[in-house]
Amino acid sequence: MTHSTLLLIPLAPLIGGILNVLFGMRLPRRLSEFLAVAGVAASALLTLAAWPLAGGEGTHFTLFTWLQSGTLQIPFELLFDPLSAPMALMVTSVSTLIHLYAIGYMQGEEDYARFFALLNLFVFAMLLIVLADNLLVLFLGWEGVGFCSYALIGFWYRQEKNANAGRKAFLVTRVGDVFLGIAILWLFDLFGTLSISAINSQAAGLAAGVLTPLVILLLLGACGKSAQLPLMTWLPDAMAGPTPVSALIHAATMVTAGVYLLCRLFPLVSLSATGMALISAVGALTAFYAATCALAQREIKKVLAYSTMSQVGYMFLGVGSGAVAGAMFHLFTHAFFKALLFMAAGCVIHLCAQENDIFRMGGLARKSPLVFILFLAGALSLAGAPLSSGFFSKDSLLAADYALHTPFYTGLLVLAVLTALLTAVYTFRLLYLVFAGTPRFSGEPHHLPRLMTWPLIPLAIVAVGGGLINLPEFYGGHAWLSHFLGSLAGAPVHISHTEEGFIAALAAILFVLGWLLSRRRYQGDLPEETGPVWRFLLSGWQADTLIRKVLLHPFASLARFFWQGTDRSLIDGILHSLARGCQLGGDRLRALTSGRLSHYLAAVAWGLLLFMLFFLVQVAQS
Amino acid sequence: MIVPLSHVLGFAAALFLMGLACTLARRNLIMILIGIEIMLNAAGLAFIGAAAFWRQVDGQIFVIFLMAMTSAEVAISLAMVVYLRRQKTSLEADAYDGMKG
């Protein structure tokens, strides 16, 4: 096992993507699809093969020096350590399953080469983020992910709605990227290096006045990619993309990039108490906000989108509480069950004849028991059913928050607990509306390709049983992930077994309570959800309108002023009147050359007269 | 000198102005040419008068040049008049405005 294996991990999907870019449409369809899956699958196998390299401090691998100018040295470095290795494994393995599913999902699609090329490039960019040991390399992947998500969300660009959603995702995440870019430049200015390991080891020497703004900049960068408040508006719209894209971008990879960034730079981030508090506050508020929005959504994928936002908020809360291990744990379990849920939702939409509205579904449990079981596995894990993976990971985050024992964090804990209840409510609302009752949709259901169901089975297994990777000692586990992360796991959580049991019981009670609430409301006749409160929640607390009013409108007015007020009236006005003046003068002057002999002769006479007058004046003066 | 120079110059000036008036006022090409001839003759007259006054022969030599130049000019102008008349079937000067800007 040589270090160059590390290079092959991101390279495999890149090669697959490039081959599909260059030859995709000329190859037989099967081969093109095979290339895409093979690229990601190879990457997953290589990650497994390289696993021993992750032990201890991890392995650095410098490929070449990317930039070199004076003191600026940017080596193209990869780092395979206890933090990046499981993340890379999760990204590649979940992506492989999503790729397989995508083959089935995109069966009737003509632009398959573009789709698979973009998917592969997306995985490549994500792996760059995960494996980078250099902030600039990370930023490269960061932007690559942004571009690919833009192209994938707007994949069906012929409909303007989809193209707009892609643009929105691109622009909103770009706002965060600007802050991250500033943070990276600042870090380079402070340390003279962009190596993540070097920055983390030297961070302790920074003054508090520098640290807090730096952490805030990093947080804003992470907020953009992870769709946290206030840069969250792109995620629900991004559901316009094909379902495999939703599963890939909005569950397993891109939205977790922000959490991963904060975990990666945790030694730096954790030094600023204010920064940590802000991270937790953003996380808890987003978790609550998105959960309330998910309660009212009518589109099945939008419920899941808001739920993703909410769960990523939990991860932020975990990072802010100092529990990197907990955040990464939840990141992994969430990737499993949310990818599963998205893809199962794709199956559901197929079975309901392309119907997105959950109020027009129903009765699917009898129609397709397999899809029901798969969806149920994901949903239970999302809602935090006791002993499912989501239960353990959410529990570890709540415990980490609880362990801090300050009024501020206790307040956030209340919010998080409330969110857990809401999560159970909206998950069961989804389950009841989609799978229970009588079918409410019309139209012929689409055929469900086998490739769309069997990649979900392994995901369903890990979604339920994935808790084992970090089963707390309380349950007789060994907290494998926390031990594996070692020094990267963040602050250890000190709570007694009684408290741990109390939190677990609370989570279980919340789950059951959420279930019962949903059952009462949605089991029988469908409730009307049309009041002003529902509309408010359906529109995501009017966030889009608010942003349009507060930011876009003033900006548009300013732009209009500069365009019409300044550019058109003032600058163009001056230029046009100058031109008009010249033309008028020219017209007058042109009349002189009338071509008439008499006019010329008259001009000669006048000239003569002038000369004579001139001489007369001369004579008179002398 | 029998006639005082001032009379000669006054007459030459009157002749010149009449020629100028003719050139400016008339539209017929031939009349314009005649006006120019008259002005040239006025200039010649002034030369002669001055030569007689200062008893210098230069002025008379100038007049001979002037006559040679005038005859050459008339020859060319008349040829052009004939040519132009063939082109436009008119001798009105305003008909020839092909050079206007």
Side-chain angles (χ1 to χ4, degrees):
Chain A
M1 184 53 49
T2 56
H3 294 185
S4 50
T5 321
L6 293 184
L7 170 67
L8 287 175
I9 296 174
L11 208 59
L14 178 65
I15 291 171
I18 288 176
L19 283 177
N20 254 332
V21 167
L22 295 178
F23 311 110
M25 289 314 270
R26 260 172 261 159
L27 295 176
R29 184 166 185 140
R30 286 284 154 219
L31 187 58
S32 167
E33 290 165 347
F34 172 76
L35 276 176
V37 175
V40 187
S43 187
L45 292 177
L46 284 164
T47 314
L48 270 181
W51 197 262
L53 295 178
E57 287 291 292
T59 306
H60 292 263
F61 175 66
T62 308
L63 182 56
F64 55 86
T65 302
W66 182 16
L67 296 175
Q68 189 167 24
S69 160
T71 54
L72 175 68
Q73 283 227 344
I74 311 287
F76 205 98
E77 271 178 315
L78 300 182
L79 170 63
F80 199 66
D81 72 349
L83 186 61
S84 59
M87 182 80 181
L89 185 63
M90 182 280 284
V91 168
T92 50
S93 53
V94 174
S95 300
T96 308
L97 293 173
I98 293 173
H99 273 67
L100 282 171
Y101 172 86
I103 294 178
Y105 190 86
M106 300 305 262
Q107 232 174 23
E109 179 64 45
E110 282 174 12
D111 288 334
Y112 58 91
R114 176 162 62 97
F115 183 74
F116 284 109
L118 282 169
L119 273 192
N120 268 4
L121 289 178
F122 185 89
V123 175
F124 160 70
M126 188 65 202
L127 283 172
L128 266 192
I129 295 181
V130 173
L131 294 174
D133 186 28
N134 190 297
L135 279 177
L136 211 59
V137 178
L138 185 143
F139 199 62
L140 194 70
W142 194 266
E143 294 303 304
V145 168
F147 165 72
C148 289
S149 69
Y150 154 73
L152 282 169
I153 292 166
F155 180 74
W156 289 312
Y157 59 89
R158 283 190 183 83
Q159 275 177 26
E160 205 185 345
K161 181 177 87 79
N162 300 345
N164 280 341
R167 269 196 289 267
K168 187 172 175 185
F170 191 71
L171 292 174
V172 175
T173 55
R174 213 62 22 193
V175 174
D177 295 358
V178 172
F179 293 112
L180 179 63
I182 297 171
I184 289 177
L185 290 177
W186 197 358
L187 281 170
F188 177 72
D189 187 44
L190 289 172
F191 295 110
T193 172
L194 282 176
S195 160
I196 292 175
S197 346
I199 287 173
N200 276 339
S201 57
Q202 294 169 24
L206 281 183
V210 179
L211 256 172
T212 306
L214 251 179
V215 173
I216 292 173
L217 283 173
L218 287 172
L219 171 64
L220 280 165
C223 280
K225 275 278 177 290
S226 292
Q228 299 294 293
L229 291 170
L231 299 173
M232 71 298 174
T233 51
W234 64 271
L235 190 70
D237 286 30
M239 292 302 122
T243 301
V245 172
S246 309
L248 185 63
I249 299 181
H250 311 304
T253 55
M254 182 166 149
V255 290
T256 59
V259 183
Y260 182 75
L261 175 79
L262 293 178
C263 291
R264 189 84 267 190
L265 290 169
F266 187 73
L268 173 100
V269 172
S270 60
L271 292 174
S272 161
T274 323
M276 292 286 274
L278 267 174
I279 293 173
S280 339
V282 165
L285 286 173
T286 311
F288 179 72
Y289 158 80
T292 55
C293 295
L295 273 181
Q297 298 304 311
R298 297 178 69 101
E299 268 182 50
I300 180 164
K301 277 170 74 184
K302 278 201 176 171
V303 178
L304 297 176
Y306 275 111
S307 153
T308 299
M309 216 190 271
S310 173
Q311 298 304 311
V312 176
Y314 268 121
M315 298 172 210
F316 270 62
L317 177 65
V319 176
S321 308
V324 172
M328 291 307 285
F329 184 28
H330 197 55
L331 196 161
F332 294 144
T333 58
H334 171 255
F336 299 143
F337 66 68
K338 194 51 71 62
L340 170 66
L341 280 173
F342 267 121
M343 294 200 276
C347 297
V348 167
I349 293 171
H350 250 58
L351 286 173
C352 294
Q354 303 301 312
E355 181 61 66
N356 268 329
D357 190 342
I358 49 177
F359 277 81
R360 294 209 206 117
M361 292 178 170
L364 272 185
R366 245 160 300 150
K367 219 167 135 91
S368 176
L370 177 61
V371 172
F372 173 59
I373 290 168
L374 291 171
F375 199 94
L376 188 68
L380 287 179
S381 196
L382 168 65
L387 304 184
S388 67
S389 66
F391 175 75
F392 292 123
S393 56
K394 206 182 287 179
D395 230 29
S396 66
L397 293 175
L398 294 178
D401 190 13
Y402 176 78
L404 290 170
H405 286 306
T406 63
F408 177 74
Y409 280 100
T410 311
L412 294 184
L413 182 68
V414 171
L415 217 53
V417 165
L418 213 57
T419 307
L421 176 67
L422 291 177
T423 309
V425 173
Y426 70 69
T427 311
F428 279 103
R429 169 177 179 263
L430 200 57
L431 276 173
Y432 277 116
L433 286 178
V434 174
F435 292 101
T438 47
R440 294 184 294 275
F441 57 91
S442 51
E444 200 51 34
H446 287 223
H447 165 67
L448 205 57
R450 236 177 311 161
L451 262 178
M452 275 177 74
T453 46
W454 72 255
L456 305 193
I457 294 170
L459 270 181
I461 293 169
V462 286
V464 174
L468 293 175
I469 60 170
N470 201 26
L471 195 64
E473 275 134 26
F474 180 67
Y475 299 96
H478 297 288
W480 174 82
L481 184 67
S482 303
H483 286 299
F484 184 67
L485 285 172
S487 60
L488 296 166
V493 179
H494 296 292
I495 52 172
S496 67
H497 276 284
T498 337
E499 288 167 322
E500 208 164 331
F502 166 69
I503 290 173
L506 180 67
I509 291 168
L510 287 173
F511 168 77
V512 176
L513 191 62
W515 179 13
L516 292 177
L517 280 174
S518 256
R519 201 178 119 120
R520 243 191 78 202
R521 191 173 159 83
Y522 296 102
Q523 202 185 21
D525 296 330
L526 290 190
E528 282 284 314
E529 295 187 347
T530 45
V533 180
W534 290 107
R535 270 205 302 279
F536 178 67
L537 293 178
L538 182 65
S539 61
W541 292 25
Q542 305 283 2
D544 274 326
T545 323
L546 190 72
I547 287 177
R548 202 175 304 129
K549 274 198 184 135
V550 175
L551 278 175
L552 300 186
H553 254 291
F555 186 75
S557 318
L558 194 69
R560 204 176 303 115
F561 168 72
F562 280 124
W563 168 45
Q564 289 186 322
T566 313
D567 193 55
R568 280 216 158 158
S569 310
L570 198 69
I571 298 176
D572 284 7
I574 290 173
L575 291 177
H576 284 171
S577 38
L578 263 179
R580 208 175 300 118
C582 286
Q583 196 175 12
L584 267 174
D587 277 348
R588 289 281 140 75
L589 282 174
R590 202 172 60 168
L592 287 179
T593 59
S594 62
R596 296 201 164 189
L597 198 56
S598 49
H599 291 170
Y600 296 165
L601 287 171
V604 170
W606 282 112
L608 211 62
L609 203 65
L610 275 176
F611 270 118
M612 283 168 74
L613 275 174
F614 176 70
F615 286 127
L616 267 179
V617 172
Q618 294 277 358
V619 169
Q621 274 179 350
S622 59
Chain B
M1 194 166 166
I2 311 156
V3 188
L5 181 62
S6 55
H7 287 199
V8 174
L9 287 179
F11 180 61
L15 205 57
F16 184 88
L17 282 175
M18 284 193 282
L20 184 62
C22 172
T23 308
L24 291 180
R26 303 302 290 257
R27 289 288 181 270
N28 192 303
L29 276 179
I30 292 175
M31 294 313 286
I32 291 169
L33 279 174
I34 288 173
I36 291 170
E37 290 307 311
I38 291 172
M39 289 195 296
L40 282 168
N41 284 340
L45 189 62
F47 271 120
I48 296 286
F53 180 72
W54 280 297
R55 297 185 185 286
Q56 296 242 343
V57 81
D58 312 23
Q60 296 183 13
I61 294 169
F62 257 104
V63 173
I64 290 175
F65 277 126
L66 202 61
M67 286 163 129
M69 192 208 78
T70 313
S71 52
E73 182 235 313
V74 167
I76 292 172
S77 316
L78 284 179
M80 280 174 70
V81 166
V82 171
Y83 176 75
L84 288 171
R85 150 97 214 181
R86 231 184 259 157
Q87 284 233 311
K88 296 259 173 178
T89 65
S90 157
L91 279 179
E92 285 300 303
D94 289 348
Y96 307 100
D97 55 359
M99 292 285 278
K100 83 171 157 209

